[in-house]
Amino acid sequence: MLGVALLLVGCSESKPPAPTPPQVQLLNPREIVTVDSADYQSTLEAIREIRLSSEIAGRITGMPIYEGQPVKPGQLLFTLDQVQQRASVNADAAEARKNRLNAERYIFLNQQGAVSTKERDFYVTQAIQSRDKLNASVATLAYKNVVAPIPGYVGNLNFKIGDVIKPGEVVTSVIDNRQLWVRIDVPGELSDRVRPGLPVILKGPDPRRPKGMGRVIFVAPALDKERQTLLVKAEFNNPDGSLRNNERVSATLVFAQQKVLAIPQQAVLLQAGKPFVFLAVSVDEAKRRLGRAIEPEPLPNLPVAIQVPVSLGTLQNGAYPVLDGITAADTVVVGNLAQLRAVVEVKRGDKAPVNGILAMQAVISPSDNPGDVELNNFNVQSISLVDGSGDAARTQEIGRAHV
């Protein structure tokens, strides 16, 4: 039992009229799914993003596309100047045709014994070389036409018609947003909790409507040596295209989920850094819990509120998971908690007033619940807290915790 010594100014003991009971809401703790998770900032990446460049130098002569245009595999994206290369292909084709005819002639003559095998082999080899040269020229001509390798959308155009590009310079890209992933750097101390298949949630403006749901598909076999983080990749299906490549997102990695009782945030009262709730109970139940009568006598046919300590988890979506203190059968008071008072017993001091100061003592009910003392018309000048043990150090500690 905690003793509280109060120094009160004045000596009026007039009893005020009974206050009107505050209007509150009553509800039972409800069951919710709590999530053991961690939040990370990351960037969405398209799993299939192809940066397109030409393998040869040339001037862009055609670009029948625009930024953001949907394209199909094989659709032409841009064309390089082909006049010179087409002339080379035609010349190589003529040379290959001539050498093929010579090779066929010498093969026939060799069969008739008119020419040697060495002469035949020379023309046959010449025909093969000219054929390969023609194939190379045709392939080079094909490099002049750059087509889309995958379905998707055209990205930024870095060049325009008339520009001369060098081999390897990126002209544009094709992005397929139907599947994306995020890279998450998980601290090393949590690495033992990460495994493939864990759900990952992309948060949106409305916490009840996430932007995306995905799962872990890759967990690095080793931590980053310098940063001591574990690389994790999570994949997201995006059939409607609502998510975008390079979009900055808040990703929640879910380690575990379980069902627990919870109460609204508005039902919790913090006193001295500890959480309490008010339970609505019958008068008889309140007397049983307190072990004494309630003074003044409550209004008939109305429940009374008693303050009880609780142990709560982390706030999630406006509700606190209940770890200990109440059950699903309890009725919790919500709203106007500041108008409620814990049941306390005020006893008058033994000594007479000194210089207008009257000493009184308030003893909180045996449940040890901190509460507000009804002082009626008295004004508090100072408060000192003791625990009745006679230990000065403990008394000082209690005073710092509650004043």
Side-chain angles (χ1 to χ4, degrees):
M1 182 177 292
L2 179 66
V4 184
L6 305 177
L7 296 181
L8 308 175
V9 178
C11 55
S12 172
E13 299 182 11
S14 61
K15 188 174 182 180
T20 303
Q23 298 298 314
V24 296
Q25 293 180 343
L26 304 180
L27 55 81
N28 298 103
R30 59 185 176 90
E31 197 174 62
I32 66 169
V33 177
T34 59
V35 179
D36 180 10
S37 63
D39 294 336
Y40 302 93
Q41 294 298 316
S42 185
T43 302
L44 286 172
E45 300 178 35
I47 295 179
R48 296 206 300 173
E49 177 186 6
I50 309 298
R51 294 176 175 84
L52 298 167
S53 60
S54 174
E55 297 189 32
I56 59 175
R59 184 183 301 277
I60 298 177
T61 58
M63 187 176 286
I65 56 171
Y66 57 87
E67 294 176 342
Q69 175 183 341
V71 293
K72 299 177 180 179
Q75 183 172 338
L76 181 64
L77 300 180
F78 63 91
T79 302
L80 300 182
D81 179 22
Q82 301 179 356
V83 175
Q84 183 177 355
Q85 189 60 35
R86 285 190 180 279
S88 297
V89 170
N90 293 336
D92 291 339
E95 184 70 15
R97 185 165 53 253
K98 181 192 72 173
N99 289 339
R100 179 172 58 81
L101 293 174
N102 286 337
E104 291 175 350
R105 183 181 303 112
Y106 273 84
I107 290 174
F108 175 76
L109 292 175
N110 178 257
Q111 292 175 347
Q112 302 300 318
V115 295
S116 65
T117 301
K118 182 177 181 181
E119 290 179 293
R120 181 203 66 184
D121 291 345
F122 171 79
Y123 284 101
V124 169
T125 301
Q126 195 175 50
I128 294 174
Q129 290 175 341
S130 60
R131 182 197 63 188
D132 292 342
K133 183 179 180 182
L134 173 62
N135 291 337
S137 295
V138 172
T140 302
L141 179 62
Y143 291 152
K144 299 285 188 174
N145 296 322
V146 179
V147 299
I150 61 172
Y153 293 86
V154 177
N156 184 51
L157 298 177
N158 301 318
F159 295 90
K160 60 182 182 296
I161 294 177
D163 289 343
V164 177
I165 62 173
K166 300 177 182 178
E169 286 187 324
V170 177
V171 177
T172 186
S173 62
V174 175
I175 302 170
D176 183 2
N177 280 326
R178 292 178 299 176
Q179 284 187 313
L180 305 103
W181 62 23
V182 293
R183 300 170 184 260
I184 300 174
D185 291 323
V186 179
E189 57 267 22
L190 298 178
S191 60
D192 60 326
R193 306 186 64 187
V194 181
R195 64 183 183 278
L198 287 180
V200 178
I201 303 171
L202 298 183
K203 291 184 177 181
D206 185 351
R208 296 169 297 180
R209 299 181 61 187
K211 298 177 66 175
M213 300 285 292
R215 293 196 174 274
V216 173
I217 61 170
F218 170 78
V219 178
L223 272 68
D224 183 275
K225 186 175 181 180
E226 295 182 357
R227 296 188 297 171
Q228 285 299 291
T229 56
L230 182 69
L231 175 61
V232 174
K233 292 183 181 180
E235 183 180 14
F236 296 85
N237 291 323
N238 184 38
D240 60 353
S242 58
L243 302 175
R244 304 282 179 157
N245 183 48
N246 293 331
E247 181 179 350
R248 194 71 176 165
V249 293
S250 176
T252 301
L253 177 60
V254 180
F255 299 110
Q257 301 183 62
Q258 62 178 343
K259 291 184 177 180
V260 298
L261 291 178
I263 55 177
Q265 181 181 6
Q266 295 82 358
V268 179
L269 178 67
L270 289 177
Q271 290 186 341
K274 297 182 179 180
F276 295 85
V277 298
F278 284 97
L279 298 183
V281 298
S282 65
V283 175
D284 292 339
E285 175 65 14
K287 292 179 180 179
R288 186 188 67 79
R289 293 201 181 200
L290 297 174
R292 60 176 175 80
I294 301 177
E295 296 180 1
E297 188 70 22
L299 296 176
N301 302 324
L302 286 180
V304 295
I306 60 173
Q307 185 177 349
V308 297
V310 290
S311 178
L312 304 177
T314 304
L315 181 66
Q316 296 185 16
N317 297 328
Y320 282 105
V322 178
L323 305 180
D324 189 27
I326 59 176
T327 66
D330 290 324
T331 302
V332 179
V333 178
V334 179
N336 289 324
L337 299 187
Q339 299 183 29
L340 302 179
R341 295 291 184 268
V343 178
V344 294
E345 186 178 355
V346 180
K347 297 180 179 179
R348 181 142 185 191
D350 299 330
K351 298 181 180 180
V354 179
N355 296 328
I357 297 178
L358 175 65
M360 300 184 70
Q361 185 181 36
V363 181
I364 295 178
S365 60
S367 61
D368 288 339
N369 299 331
D372 296 321
V373 179
E374 292 286 2
L375 300 177
N376 297 332
N377 294 331
F378 294 101
N379 295 320
V380 177
Q381 179 171 312
S382 63
I383 300 176
S384 62
L385 302 173
V386 297
D387 68 344
S389 64
D391 188 337
R394 177 168 171 78
T395 296
Q396 184 178 12
E397 182 66 25
I398 293 174
R400 285 199 302 267
H402 293 83
V403 171

